[in-house]
Amino acid sequence: MSQIGHNSGGIAADHLKSFIERIERLEEEKAAIANDIKEVYAEAKGTGFDTKIMRRIVKARKMEPNTRAEMAELLDIYARALGMSDIV
Amino acid sequence: MSQIGHNSGGIAADHLKSFIERIERLEEEKAAIANDIKEVYAEAKGTGFDTKIMRRIVKARKMEPNTRAEMAELLDIYARALGMSDIV
Amino acid sequence: MSQIGHNSGGIAADHLKSFIERIERLEEEKAAIANDIKEVYAEAKGTGFDTKIMRRIVKARKMEPNTRAEMAELLDIYARALGMSDIV
Amino acid sequence: MSQIGHNSGGIAADHLKSFIERIERLEEEKAAIANDIKEVYAEAKGTGFDTKIMRRIVKARKMEPNTRAEMAELLDIYARALGMSDIV
DNA sequence: CTGCCATTTTACCGGC
DNA sequence: GCCGGTAAAATGGCAG
């Protein structure tokens, strides 16, 4: 590698390092929040709530009502095709 | 380690190795079948079916009807508690 | 919509049923093998081995081939990363 | 049943609502950070870096501390496994 | 029966 | 805009 290549490489390497470190810092924050969420679920569980159901509720509230209805309909159609009565 | 310990250790090591290898062989078979399942889903997808729905159907057929009804009821109860209309 | 319209009884329904049944058959086989594995562990345990440690060995052996390859790849990755530097 | 009986409007409902809202708030924060990460990658890409390689670097750095420890542990595991041999 | 670990499912990102 | 593969979340199963 040429002198110039080497120098620019050094600068780029620093730049890359900087990007990587920013990302790693953010990922740490994200992991911390994920942990907080886990703790809230744990607390809810300790109060007697069913966390599996809670997770479904949270997901449902995030979904567009249309999407939800479409999926329900598809499920129903497939279930009928198989002679099943009802699908949750 | 004593001579006896060493010998019995050797035998036990062989025995252990044998167990481990039986397990690994079975796990390979299991992985192969898991792969077959993946391929069936892929084929179904290629035929125009929605694999996400199909997976739900397969899971639902595996569940006891009672369990399914109970979960549906719980979901409904939680949803009502939050003022939501309907949950899929 | 590609498969299964509002009329749920037709060739598509048969096709879906066929896929579902193939999958269920394969999942049964898979479960049977999983059960075999469980039995091998039980047998090993009856012979005095610690199954927890055995599981760790099996897992370790599964990852081991990767480990060296990954570390070699690491060098490659860093090399590429520095290779990118000439762009800057 | 510990929480939320057939009367869905009560203290339990409020409690549930409170948990759900705390979770949703945290998930928003998490999503915001995920978005920040995405933007950093985008910025890096705009500077000429290959994001795919960057992701591999980030992943590698996350695993690296483990790798050596794990390989050391492997020896320990095998040692223990052979330690079991005296039982047989 | 509770927590941990493996598997499975879902969501995301980049390429075509 | 879909599709494949990859990382995160969720579910289920197992041992203690």
Side-chain angles (χ1 to χ4, degrees):
Chain A
M1 189 180 280
S2 69
Q3 176 66 35
I4 292 173
H6 181 261
N7 279 342
S8 69
I11 291 171
D14 287 348
H15 207 175
L16 174 63
K17 190 173 201 279
S18 159
F19 279 129
I20 297 286
E21 284 168 358
R22 277 169 68 193
I23 289 164
E24 286 174 338
R25 179 76 183 83
L26 288 167
E27 292 210 336
E28 274 174 38
E29 289 179 36
K30 188 155 75 86
I33 294 179
N35 198 53
D36 290 346
I37 293 173
K38 245 179 71 180
E39 285 175 8
V40 176
Y41 276 115
E43 188 187 341
K45 181 178 187 171
T47 321
F49 289 105
D50 182 326
T51 58
K52 182 179 172 180
I53 302 289
M54 285 179 66
R55 284 173 197 276
R56 289 217 192 177
I57 294 276
V58 169
K59 195 198 282 186
R61 281 162 65 107
K62 221 187 301 187
M63 284 176 75
E64 291 293 324
N66 283 348
T67 313
R68 225 156 77 197
E70 281 168 24
M71 270 200 35
E73 194 189 356
L74 252 194
L75 262 176
D76 186 59
I77 290 169
Y78 278 47
R80 283 170 193 276
L82 295 167
M84 300 172 73
S85 51
D86 62 341
I87 300 288
V88 180
Chain B
M1 188 182 282
S2 69
Q3 175 68 36
I4 292 173
H6 180 260
N7 281 341
S8 69
I11 291 170
D14 287 348
H15 209 174
L16 174 63
K17 190 179 202 282
S18 159
F19 278 128
I20 297 286
E21 284 169 358
R22 276 169 68 193
I23 289 165
E24 285 174 340
R25 178 77 182 83
L26 287 167
E27 293 210 334
E28 274 174 37
E29 290 179 35
K30 187 155 76 86
I33 293 179
N35 198 54
D36 290 347
I37 293 173
K38 244 178 71 179
E39 285 176 8
V40 176
Y41 275 115
E43 188 188 340
K45 181 177 187 171
T47 320
F49 289 104
D50 182 326
T51 58
K52 184 175 173 183
I53 302 289
M54 283 179 67
R55 285 174 196 277
R56 288 217 192 179
I57 294 277
V58 169
K59 195 197 281 185
R61 280 162 66 108
K62 224 187 300 190
M63 286 175 73
E64 290 293 324
N66 282 348
T67 313
R68 225 155 78 196
E70 281 169 24
M71 271 200 35
E73 194 188 356
L74 252 195
L75 262 176
D76 187 58
I77 290 168
Y78 279 47
R80 283 170 192 277
L82 295 166
M84 301 172 72
S85 49
D86 61 342
I87 300 289
V88 180
Chain C
M1 186 180 293
S2 355
Q3 288 284 5
I4 306 186
H6 63 282
N7 60 334
S8 55
I11 176 98
D14 288 346
H15 211 175
L16 174 63
K17 196 172 170 31
S18 159
F19 278 128
I20 297 286
E21 284 168 0
R22 277 169 68 193
I23 289 164
E24 285 174 339
R25 178 75 183 84
L26 287 167
E27 293 209 335
E28 275 174 37
E29 290 179 34
K30 188 153 74 83
I33 294 179
N35 198 52
D36 290 347
I37 293 173
K38 213 176 123 184
E39 285 176 8
V40 176
Y41 276 114
E43 186 188 341
K45 184 174 190 171
T47 320
F49 289 104
D50 180 331
T51 58
K52 186 176 174 185
I53 292 177
M54 285 180 64
R55 284 175 195 277
R56 284 167 75 189
I57 291 176
V58 170
K59 185 182 175 189
R61 281 166 62 106
K62 214 185 297 185
M63 298 194 310
E64 202 171 358
N66 300 350
T67 308
R68 289 201 170 276
E70 279 170 18
M71 292 189 73
E73 199 193 4
L74 249 190
L75 289 180
D76 179 59
I77 291 173
Y78 280 108
R80 285 168 189 266
L82 293 182
M84 294 188 297
S85 36
D86 287 318
I87 298 172
V88 183
Chain D
M1 187 179 293
S2 358
Q3 287 284 5
I4 306 188
H6 62 284
N7 62 333
S8 56
I11 176 103
D14 288 346
H15 210 175
L16 175 62
K17 196 172 160 60
S18 159
F19 278 129
I20 297 286
E21 284 168 358
R22 276 170 67 194
I23 290 165
E24 286 175 339
R25 179 77 182 82
L26 287 167
E27 293 211 334
E28 274 173 39
E29 289 180 36
K30 189 155 73 84
I33 293 178
N35 198 52
D36 290 347
I37 293 172
K38 215 175 118 182
E39 285 175 8
V40 176
Y41 275 115
E43 186 187 341
K45 184 174 188 170
T47 321
F49 289 105
D50 180 330
T51 58
K52 186 177 175 184
I53 292 176
M54 285 180 64
R55 284 174 195 278
R56 285 166 74 188
I57 291 176
V58 170
K59 183 185 174 187
R61 281 165 62 107
K62 214 184 297 184
M63 298 194 312
E64 204 170 356
N66 300 350
T67 308
R68 289 203 170 275
E70 280 170 18
M71 291 189 74
E73 200 193 4
L74 247 191
L75 288 179
D76 180 59
I77 290 174
Y78 279 107
R80 284 167 189 265
L82 293 181
M84 293 187 297
S85 34
D86 287 319
I87 299 172
V88 184

